[in-house]
């Protein structure tokens, strides 16, 4: 009886974790699709700066990894735009002065999509972890069903 309760708790916890990770992965995918569908105007941007920021830091910790965020500059409709990438990387993947192709939202020229950003990798990791946790919960459910 006690083992059955522990297994049900195990199934519940891994199921909730799996659903949460899977939903985050699907949300990131939907956001990326939306960004690609509205940011349709190609522009050539120049990397004008690489900002290094600490990420993952909370109020109770002094640790945290540093990520590199490129700052892009481009001209659109005669107006110079300067925007910073939303996704950072552990190592700089572009150099200052490098030309990069971005896709800009024609209605909001400060909103852009960069095809080389690693957001799709992050999305795949979240989705994969979610599926793995859900599979673990289902396997434990099947074991519990056939063993009781």
């Amino acid at each position: 009886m006690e083992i059955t309760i522990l297994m049900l708790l195990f199934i519940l916890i891994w199921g909730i974790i799996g659903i949460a990770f899977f939903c985050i992965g699907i949300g990131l995918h939907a956001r990326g699709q939306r960004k690609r569908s509205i940011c349709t105007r190609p522009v050539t941007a120049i990397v004008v700066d690489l900002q290094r920021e600490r990420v993952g830091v909370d109020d109770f910790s002094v640790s945290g990894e540093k990520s590199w965020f490129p700052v892009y500059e481009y001209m659109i409709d005669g107006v110079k735009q300067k925007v910073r990438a939303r996704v950072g990387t552990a190592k700089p993947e572009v150099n200052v002065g490098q030309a990069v192709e971005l896709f800009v939202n024609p209605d909001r020229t400060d909103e852009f999509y960069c095809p080389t950003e690693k957001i799709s990798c992050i999305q795949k990791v979240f989705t994969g972890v979610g599926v793995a946790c859900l599979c673990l919960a289902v396997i434990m459910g099947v074991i519990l069903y056939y063993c009781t």
Side-chain angles (χ1 to χ4, degrees):
M1 181 69 158
E2 188 176 302
I3 293 202
T4 303
I5 293 172
L6 286 174
M7 286 184 75
L8 284 173
L9 187 61
F10 180 86
I11 292 166
L12 180 68
I13 289 170
W14 283 105
I16 290 170
I17 290 171
I19 289 169
F21 271 83
F22 187 74
C23 287
I24 291 169
I26 296 299
L28 288 171
H29 177 73
R31 183 173 181 256
Q33 288 292 99
R34 180 188 164 278
K35 199 80 129 148
R36 282 188 288 280
S37 70
I38 62 173
C39 296
T40 56
R41 188 167 175 187
V43 296
T44 301
I46 303 296
V47 178
V48 293
D49 192 15
L50 290 169
Q51 296 178 350
R52 192 166 188 208
E53 277 187 27
R54 205 177 277 277
V55 293
V57 179
D58 58 25
D59 294 338
F60 306 106
S61 169
V62 292
S63 67
E65 299 296 319
K66 288 191 174 182
S67 289
W68 292 93
F69 295 87
V71 177
Y72 305 109
E73 190 173 88
Y74 53 88
M75 291 287 286
I76 189 158
D77 297 329
V79 178
K80 188 181 284 191
Q81 290 284 339
K82 195 172 188 178
V83 292
R84 190 184 98 150
R86 297 180 80 91
V87 178
T89 56
K91 298 178 198 169
E93 295 187 352
V94 291
N95 298 314
V96 173
Q98 181 178 338
V100 178
E101 184 178 34
L102 301 178
F103 292 90
V104 177
N105 180 347
D107 299 325
R108 283 188 51 210
T109 57
D110 62 332
E111 183 177 10
F112 70 97
Y113 162 70
C114 181
T116 60
E117 281 186 354
K118 300 213 176 209
I119 194 73
S120 66
C121 179
I122 296 168
Q123 165 230 318
K124 289 175 187 170
V125 168
F126 271 94
T127 305
V129 169
V131 168
C133 291
L134 285 171
C135 287
L136 185 61
V138 168
I139 290 168
M140 291 305 292
V142 169
I143 290 171
L144 179 64
Y145 178 77
Y146 285 108
C147 291
T148 55

